[in-house]
Amino acid sequence: MDDVKIGEILEPGDERENQTREERVRAKFWKTATKAARQLPFMEDLVAGYYCALDRQTPARVRAVLLAALAYFVLPFDTIPDVILGLGFTDDAAVLAAALNMVRSHITPAHRLAARQALEDGPN
């Protein structure tokens, strides 16, 4: 996936679009993350990004970028269907890695701790 497409996916939307993305992400994140766990080598970063996106203390633009990437991750239909073993999450991984790299400085130790706990104990 090239940078232009990733840039289009990560484009922050308006408040209504971000609310829709947040609802979709909250509803589907853990189910999708469970399926992707073996294929994504950065699960702790991904889950920390999830908590960062839901944190109201996170700047709006950062939340918007993360919600856009996470919404793409949880969509059942994307560039490469997630059911294709070994390839299904490669496009998702590219989008997620780009988003996480863009906002890395906003993912706090609290987000990382919540991610480690969720991965160890399961989500609350």
Side-chain angles (χ1 to χ4, degrees), residues 5-69:
K5 289 182 182 176
I6 290 174
E8 290 170 3
I9 292 166
L10 297 180
E11 184 65 33
D14 60 24
E15 187 59 35
R16 183 174 166 202
E17 186 175 359
N18 287 334
Q19 182 63 36
T20 300
R21 287 174 174 167
E22 183 174 340
E23 290 167 6
R24 185 180 306 132
V25 167
R26 283 182 184 272
K28 298 179 181 180
F29 177 79
W30 289 108
K31 182 179 179 182
T32 307
T34 300
K35 284 191 243 178
R38 293 185 186 147
Q39 297 179 48
L40 294 178
F42 53 90
M43 278 306 293
E44 187 174 316
D45 287 338
L46 172 61
V47 177
Y50 169 78
Y51 285 117
C52 182
L54 300 182
D55 183 349
R56 298 291 179 202
Q57 299 298 317
T58 300
R61 182 150 178 87
V62 172
R63 289 184 73 236
V65 166
L66 286 169
L67 287 170

Side-chain angles (χ1 to χ4, degrees), residues 67-114:
L67 287 170
L70 292 167
Y72 183 79
F73 174 63
V74 301
L75 282 175
F77 305 106
D78 53 28
T79 305
I80 301 173
D82 295 338
V83 295
I84 298 175
L85 188 60
L87 293 177
F89 288 103
T90 55
D91 60 325
D92 301 77
V95 170
L96 292 167
L100 291 168
N101 192 46
M102 288 171 61
V103 302
R104 187 162 308 285
S105 65
H106 295 280
I107 299 175
T108 68
H111 299 140
R112 293 194 182 284
L113 177 61

